[in-house]
Amino acid sequence: MRAVACLLAALAAATLVTACGDREPPGPDWCPTVPGHQVDCGVQSRPLVADRPELGTVAVSYALIRRSKLDAPSAGTIAPNPGGPGVPLIAHAAQATQLSAQLLDDHDLLLIDPRGTGLSSPLDCGADEAGYELGTREYQQQTVARCAEQLGERAVGYTSAATADDFDAVRERLGIPKLVLYGISYGTYLMPIYAERHPDHVQSIVLSGAYPPDVDLLSRPNAEAVSLALQRICDRSKACDGATAVNHLRTVAQRLATHPLTITGQHPLQLSESKLATLVFEVASTNVGADPQQPTLMGTLPAALHAAANGDDTGLRQWAEHAGAEPTAENIDLFITVACNDYPNLWSRQAAVPERIQQYRSGLAAAGPDGVGAFSAEGFSGGQRDGGDACIRWPGLTRSVPGHLREALPNVPVLVMSGDLDAITPDANGQRVAAGFPRATFLSVPNTGHVPDLEPSGCVTDIVARFIRTGATGPTSCVEAIPPIAVTPVPR
């Protein structure tokens, strides 16, 4: 899952100055000041691995932004996580505050940098963020293996379960009875794990851009969502024909599988079928709908595919250059470590690498000759930075998080949202997540991608605020007025 620090960066920039802290902070002037709010900061020491004191500890840093009406009891404490894994939060306190502005008169906001990110003992195993994002699969696998070798036994300490327990330790330290869990992207994977492990301390849950624990190992919903997004933007804009755009995508993907394009520029890459999949389903899905009038990678894709399918790669090269230059903001070392420790695979973790490769290829064969969506199964699988065979050289340190243990989920109000142009966490996956909770509401937000909170009308943030206050969404018809995104016209 691509990090959504872009969700925060899209809002106003944070200003960090010296504030409070009840323990020695991890560095000077680290606790944020938020105008109109008291901010209490601290550092909670936690074991890296429970019952393994010889492996050391991590310092988990937090900032509690107090409600403006301190003379009245708190209506709740919102605990967001903006994704990754590997995205810090404290450094984006101003943006997080703006996102929750409607609630901060009577709600507190608890910002925690997950272990291994930001101010919480940031992890460094030597991975290069841009290289991992744009490099070949072989490069990614080598990076994963080097990271595991450098971390050794310490690698087992970086899991979503450990992060969830850190959050609860901070909650307990602050004397907060229950949390309003607000997960975005990877946060939608982390927060249900918290809810499972600490069900008595959950007030309600909001999951935006939801990732199911029982994810399809061939990522078929994601591949199908790419085609669906192309059809939707064409149909809604009238700038292109959706079925033709999907056919062009299939044609171009098949060509790139055997004849990759060399993309030069500031961020050079080999545009193979797999790299096209990465850029189309991950990068092009992100931030869609944040400014409907501005050109986006998704909106310019049909025209680039049309030209490439007809022998002119100029637009596709330019499109790939722009996509490759899009920044990521997660700690890539933690991204690798959590993904390889937690996420399920097509192979057995107990198997040796040669046997894993055989199991992986057998799993791909299950997709059949038609592949997945407009891609071959191998091509689309190879485009996932946190899936496919990216982690095939990671040692079998942990078991993947089970996708079926949902008996302990608390019976609290849950809101699950997906953007209907999102291929990272598509509608189909959001619906599966919602089905796992006793009291969940699912909302598909049209003309938005990963994640729908970014749309500028305020419709989605109003729905979220109302849900957190009341446990119900109330009217959601405002989503029908969210305008289609701009799409570059395609010659017919």
Side-chain angles (χ1 to χ4, degrees), residues 203-260:
Q203 181 172 326
S204 61
I205 305 173
V206 177
L207 303 176
S208 181
Y211 182 88
D214 55 343
V215 63
D216 184 295
L217 296 182
L218 293 174
S219 295
R220 282 168 285 207
N222 306 83
E224 292 160 3
V226 172
S227 299
L228 191 56
L230 284 174
Q231 292 171 338
R232 284 172 172 166
I233 65 172
C234 286
D235 292 346
R236 293 168 185 175
S237 67
K238 310 300 182 184
C240 47
D241 177 74
T244 302
V246 173
N247 286 334
H248 286 160
L249 175 61
R250 181 177 291 106
T251 298
V252 173
Q254 289 173 349
R255 172 161 63 88
L256 293 177
T258 55
H259 297 86

Side-chain angles (χ1 to χ4, degrees), residues 33-391:
T33 287
V34 178
H37 296 273
Q38 175 184 326
V39 184
D40 302 326
C41 294
V43 182
Q44 175 73 46
S45 179
R46 295 279 298 156
L48 178 65
V49 180
D51 303 322
R52 294 286 303 276
E54 73 276 10
L55 294 181
T57 61
V58 291
V60 177
S61 299
Y62 63 85
L64 180 63
I65 301 171
R66 298 286 188 180
R67 61 201 178 278
S68 57
K69 297 178 179 178
L70 285 173
D71 55 346
S74 172
T77 300
I78 305 165
N81 179 270
V87 178
L89 189 53
I90 295 173
H92 299 285
Q95 299 98 311
T97 302
Q98 185 175 345
L99 192 63
S100 305
Q102 296 184 53
L103 297 160
L104 292 187
D105 57 343
D106 58 355
H107 284 73
D108 299 325
L109 182 64
L110 178 59
L111 310 182
I112 303 173
D113 278 355
R115 59 169 59 197
T117 71
L119 299 170
S120 294
S121 302
L123 182 63
D124 183 1
C125 63
D128 174 67
E129 183 176 313
Y132 192 83
E133 172 85 13
L134 301 178
T136 64
R137 180 59 104 201
E138 178 64 24
Y139 177 88
Q140 292 170 340
Q141 291 176 348
Q142 291 173 353
T143 299
V144 165
R146 285 195 301 268
C147 181
E149 182 178 3
Q150 181 168 329
L151 291 176
E153 290 184 320
R154 297 182 66 249
V156 77
Y158 297 97
T159 65
S160 301
T163 298
D165 291 348
D166 292 343
F167 282 25
D168 198 61
V170 171
R171 177 207 60 77
E172 183 176 15
R173 171 182 176 149
L174 294 171
I176 300 169
K178 293 179 183 287
L179 297 174
V180 175
L181 305 176
Y182 191 170
I184 297 170
S185 190
Y186 161 75
T188 70
Y189 181 85
L190 171 65
M191 292 313 193
I193 291 174
Y194 179 97
E196 251 184 11
R197 297 174 73 85
H198 308 284
D200 294 337
H201 302 300
V202 179
Q203 181 172 326
S204 61
I205 305 173
V206 177
L207 303 176
S208 181
Y211 182 88
D214 55 343
V215 63
D216 184 295
L217 296 182
L218 293 174
S219 295
R220 282 168 285 207
N222 306 83
E224 292 160 3
V226 172
S227 299
L228 191 56
L230 284 174
Q231 292 171 338
R232 284 172 172 166
I233 65 172
C234 286
D235 292 346
R236 293 168 185 175
S237 67
K238 310 300 182 184
C240 47
D241 177 74
T244 302
V246 173
N247 286 334
H248 286 160
L249 175 61
R250 181 177 291 106
T251 298
V252 173
Q254 289 173 349
R255 172 161 63 88
L256 293 177
T258 55
H259 297 86
L261 294 177
T262 299
I263 307 299
T264 58
Q266 186 176 0
H267 301 279
L269 59 92
Q270 285 293 109
L271 187 63
S272 62
E273 180 192 17
S274 291
K275 197 54 61 180
L276 177 66
T278 301
L279 299 180
V280 168
F281 103 91
E282 273 208 9
V283 183
S285 274
T286 301
N287 283 359
V288 174
D291 189 342
Q293 303 306 313
Q294 292 299 312
T296 61
L297 288 167
M298 182 171 286
T300 56
L301 180 59
L305 292 172
H306 170 83
N310 287 280
D312 181 1
D313 290 334
T314 303
L316 182 63
R317 289 179 180 276
Q318 293 173 345
W319 185 91
E321 285 183 31
H322 291 151
E326 287 292 306
T328 58
E330 69 258 303
N331 178 319
I332 195 64
D333 307 84
L334 188 71
F335 176 94
I336 290 168
T337 306
V338 172
C340 292
N341 274 338
D342 279 9
Y343 297 169
N345 313 114
L346 282 167
W347 63 84
S348 167
R349 297 190 176 204
Q350 286 68 50
V353 171
E355 186 180 357
R356 290 181 180 189
I357 294 173
Q358 292 179 353
Q359 293 170 348
Y360 173 68
R361 295 202 170 278
S362 296
L364 291 181
D370 294 333
V372 294
F375 297 87
S376 70
E378 183 175 7
F380 196 77
S381 180
Q384 300 163 55
R385 296 181 307 144
D386 54 1
D389 59 347
C391 295

